[in-house]
Amino acid sequence: MSATTIRLTMAQALVRYLAALRTEEGDGTLVPLFGGAFAIFGHGNVAGLGEALYQYKEVFPTFRAHNEQAMAHAAIAYAKAHMRRRMLAVTSSIGPGATNLLTAAALAHVNRLPVLLLPGDVFVSRAPDPVLQQLEDGTDGSVSVNDAFKPLSRYFDRIVYPEQLLTALPRAIAALTDPAACGPVTLSLPQDVQTMAYDYPEEFFTPRTVRFRAVPPVEQELEEAALLLKNARQPLIVAGGGVLYGKAGAALQAFAERHGIPVAETQAGKSALPWDHPLQLGAIGVTGSPAANSLAADADVVLAVGTRLQDFTTGSNSLFAQAQLVSLNVNSFDALKRRGLGVQADATLGLQGLSRHLGSWNSAGQWLDRAQQAGHAWRATVAAITGKREVAGLPYDGEVIGAVQRSSSDSTTRDIVVCAAGTLPAELHKLWRTSTPGGYHMEYGYSCMGYEIAGGLGVKMAKPDAEVIVMVGDGSYLMMNSEIATSVMLDKKLIIVVLDNRGYGCINRLQQACGNASFNNMLPDSAPRIDFALHARSLGALSEHAGSIAELDDAMQRARAAPRTYLICINTDDMRTTEEGGCWWEVAVPEVSTQAGVQAARARYELDRQGQQK
């Protein structure tokens, strides 16, 4: 080694570079940009990257998991809980270990969340050809299974020479930290190249502070947006995940209060405004509240802040089709959706700039009065639904949510609820109450069954002082539950509430709403009843089964006092849901069918589509 270079393997250089990166906390404190790496080793990464991770384990921790997809979910949740300011790397071997990461890569891409994927790859030398787990393509010798990551990555590179890290790593970090292009990055690492040495410049490993850019708005775009709002009589703000990632909660509240505009929240944006704020209308869209959806249906201008306007938010482009749209988004791709007026900017800077152009303009009047009354009435309804302690027959999700929340006097400020798929996202979107940005952690961009427990682990790693409560249906639990054992091993306590409705109740109801008979969704009576509590106990958790809401109240107290991960299972009604709220969602119904129910559903479908914005 000379005075200006240091000889390292490619894998050692990669880990050393990542370990040297820093970012600033809100108080100016410098912390590592990467919290470490999740790793499951195989022959494609154990000798190269595994050795490097061992060498730097004191400054770059390695966490062992039980499933590649799950550990990537945990890493994604870690980044989401940190509002994309900190992240984790994830490494797997070649072959099935790598392809197990593909679902998580798609999830991160859809949700605009950063995760660094480091799958092993086949030998560049091709000396052992084909190597174990190698995909052989008779038309392209350069292809491996890792090419499947290309459409799922914001940046992809295959490192075939050690010196390529000098350009690939800065580009990877730029993509991971870009407010608009943020998402998964894949660096494919051939196992022989991982072990090759190179004389790297020492300055390449000098600790560097990564700062997150806030994109300023263009004045002309602000002027045009302000003019639309000034002419509005019934404006509405739709707050999306960009409000949280831009740390714009305070700016949103100040803007809404100054200009008298009510706020509705998407799944990703829920917790942007405290649940009990007078201008808070609650959830919007297919899983929305009656307060938000009724005002959305009558709004003449909608200011969409940091939302990609997913179909669940817009009611498949039918909910506020009559309104003029102003879309404030850091990503131009999202800002231009639905032919709205786009304002490409950071949420905080955009709201502050727009407020400056609006001056003293305020929407005060009947619209504001209606919004406040509707919000107040909806909060009273939520209290009534979640306040039930005695239920005839099996409880439903809303009553379970109530028991979970009232088990703590500070649940709206300390608890973080984690969920992803099934019926629960609709119920939690409507009924969960939080006053803390990030207190509602929902993966609903990809709605990936199996995210819940792994995601809860990642949230707990990011927020160790919070009470992390995973609410999950029996179907999602059975898809992926192995990280219960990881949470016990890492001493990251979760409270897991399993709602057992004996199958895929959500899709079963959708199936019947489309006119079909119940088919292939619910477990037959002959199927054995799974003892989820006993299963969790076998993975090292504490657990119990609650037979009623009253028993769940008591069980939650024990769970909160427990020293390690605690699972509670409760049987729930597969047909009951919160009737209030919601709107149309387009699910295509067969044009031709022998079933009378499907024929009737098709007629309703064609009628409903007439309200859709084309």
Side-chain angles (χ1 to χ4, degrees):
M1 183 182 71
S2 71
T4 58
T5 63
I6 179 171
R7 192 162 182 82
L8 299 169
T9 67
M10 182 267 272
Q12 293 163 357
L14 187 155
V15 176
R16 182 165 178 163
Y17 180 89
L18 297 179
L21 297 174
R22 297 290 182 267
T23 188
E24 286 185 349
E25 296 277 48
D27 60 0
T29 304
L30 289 180
V31 295
L33 177 66
F34 281 84
F38 270 107
I40 293 179
F41 293 134
H43 73 90
N45 65 343
V46 66
L49 195 56
E51 187 276 341
L53 288 169
Y54 176 80
Q55 182 173 334
Y56 294 104
K57 65 182 184 297
E58 300 302 325
V59 292
F60 196 81
T62 298
F63 308 103
R64 185 197 179 283
H66 292 85
N67 176 284
E68 288 92 354
Q69 180 181 328
M71 69 181 183
H73 286 336
I76 294 164
Y78 177 92
K80 181 178 173 73
H82 276 300
M83 303 306 178
R84 308 196 304 190
R85 265 48 173 202
R86 298 188 69 194
M87 57 202 70
L88 293 168
V90 176
T91 180
S92 73
S93 182
I94 61 176
T99 53
N100 278 351
L101 297 174
L102 290 171
T103 297
L107 184 151
H109 196 290
V110 168
N111 287 285
R112 280 73 161 157
L113 293 170
V115 60
L116 178 59
L117 303 175
L118 303 171
D121 209 334
V122 298
F123 283 76
V124 166
S125 70
R126 302 187 188 176
D129 186 52
V131 71
L132 177 67
Q133 299 176 325
Q134 179 174 342
L135 177 76
E136 293 184 274
D137 188 320
T139 64
D140 187 342
S142 67
V143 167
S144 80
V145 296
N146 287 356
D147 286 271
F149 285 97
K150 289 181 177 178
L152 304 177
S153 301
R154 296 290 184 174
Y155 177 76
F156 176 93
D157 206 345
R158 180 176 277 112
I159 310 301
V160 297
Y161 291 99
E163 56 265 42
Q164 287 178 332
L165 286 183
L166 296 171
T167 54
L169 280 173
R171 289 173 182 172
I173 300 305
L176 288 165
T177 58
D178 188 294
C182 181
V185 165
T186 303
L187 297 182
S188 182
L189 308 178
Q191 64 167 294
D192 52 345
V193 182
Q194 290 178 40
T195 65
M196 294 177 182
Y198 180 75
D199 293 322
Y200 290 93
E202 279 191 299
E203 65 178 5
F204 187 60
F205 307 106
T206 302
R208 181 168 68 89
T209 301
V210 176
R211 292 182 171 84
F212 291 82
R213 297 183 301 278
V215 178
V218 175
E219 287 298 308
Q220 185 177 355
E221 292 179 352
L222 291 177
E223 291 171 4
E224 294 173 354
L227 182 61
L228 271 181
L229 279 169
K230 284 181 178 179
N231 290 324
R233 297 177 61 85
Q234 298 180 163
L236 174 69
I237 296 171
V238 176
V243 176
L244 296 173
Y245 302 144
K247 297 190 174 182
L252 173 68
Q253 182 170 331
F255 183 91
E257 291 173 351
R258 181 181 183 187
H259 303 293
I261 306 179
V263 177
E265 296 174 326
T266 71
Q267 284 279 11
K270 187 176 171 73
S271 74
L273 196 67
W275 71 275
D276 55 354
H277 191 280
L279 292 173
Q280 172 68 271
L281 297 175
I284 192 170
V286 177
T287 57
S289 75
N293 286 354
S294 64
L295 269 78
D298 293 336
D300 55 5
V301 174
V302 168
L303 173 59
V305 185
T307 170
R308 63 191 186 93
L309 297 172
Q310 183 197 31
D311 62 344
F312 257 61
T313 298
T314 67
S316 299
N317 291 332
S318 69
L319 181 56
F320 42 89
Q322 78 295 333
Q324 291 183 289
L325 178 67
V326 177
S327 192
L328 169 58
N329 204 296
V330 72
N331 190 317
S332 61
F333 180 84
D334 292 324
L336 296 176
K337 286 178 179 174
R338 285 189 62 172
R339 301 188 301 279
L341 173 61
V343 179
Q344 186 180 0
D346 167 77
T348 296
L349 297 181
L351 287 169
Q352 291 173 344
L354 188 54
S355 184
R356 173 169 45 82
H357 279 271
L358 288 173
S360 60
W361 176 86
N362 189 288
S363 74
Q366 292 182 345
W367 177 251
L368 187 58
D369 292 341
R370 174 185 167 186
Q372 292 177 328
Q373 291 169 11
H376 178 76
W378 173 239
R379 287 187 286 275
T381 300
V382 171
I385 292 171
T386 58
K388 293 181 180 178
R389 297 172 183 264
E390 296 184 5
V391 179
L394 289 176
Y396 92 104
D397 299 19
E399 292 150 354
V400 173
I401 291 168
V404 170
Q405 285 231 277
R406 67 172 166 265
S407 62
S408 172
S409 60
D410 61 350
S411 64
T412 65
T413 57
R414 183 167 181 261
D415 290 354
I416 300 176
V417 68
V418 181
C419 189
T423 303
L424 276 165
E427 300 297 336
L428 287 164
H429 196 200
K430 290 179 182 180
L431 303 176
W432 187 260
R433 293 165 290 184
T434 184
S435 300
T436 304
Y440 180 82
H441 184 110
M442 181 67 63
E443 191 292 292
Y444 210 58
Y446 207 50
S447 187
C448 185
M449 294 178 70
Y451 173 90
E452 296 90 342
I453 294 171
L457 172 63
V459 173
K460 188 66 175 182
M461 292 172 69
K463 303 291 181 182
D465 295 331
E467 191 77 89
V468 178
I469 300 172
V470 176
M471 298 193 70
V472 58
D474 55 305
S476 279
Y477 180 94
L478 289 172
M479 286 247 180
M480 195 175 299
N481 52 61
S482 55
E483 303 323 308
I484 290 176
T486 308
S487 74
V488 175
M489 178 176 65
L490 297 180
D491 193 25
K492 302 299 181 185
K493 178 198 166 186
L494 306 174
I495 296 176
I496 303 170
V497 181
V498 179
L499 291 80
D500 183 4
N501 65 11
R502 298 277 290 167
Y504 304 144
C506 175
I507 296 302
N508 184 57
R509 291 191 304 276
L510 177 61
Q511 185 177 53
Q512 294 178 76
C514 292
N516 222 326
S518 179
F519 174 65
N520 196 46
N521 282 312
M522 304 306 292
L523 295 176
D525 293 338
S526 59
R529 182 166 285 281
I530 297 168
D531 191 333
F532 292 99
L534 183 59
H535 178 266
R537 211 170 301 144
S538 74
L539 296 176
L542 302 171
S543 63
E544 63 178 288
H545 185 276
S548 65
I549 291 296
E551 290 185 15
L552 179 58
D553 282 330
D554 294 337
M556 281 299 302
Q557 296 299 329
R558 290 187 286 273
R560 289 184 183 274
R564 66 178 187 269
T565 293
Y566 200 106
L567 180 142
I568 306 166
C569 179
I570 185 168
N571 298 338
T572 56
D573 193 318
D574 66 293
M575 293 304 294
R576 290 174 61 206
T577 60
T578 297
E579 296 179 359
E580 295 85 352
C583 68
W584 179 68
W585 179 44
E586 182 169 11
V587 176
V589 179
E591 190 171 357
V592 177
S593 175
T594 58
Q595 298 183 73
V598 174
Q599 294 169 7
R602 175 70 190 194
R604 293 193 301 271
Y605 170 67
E606 292 179 350
L607 184 64
D608 288 336
R609 288 182 69 194
Q610 294 178 14
Q612 204 172 25
Q613 184 186 46
K614 304 301 183 185

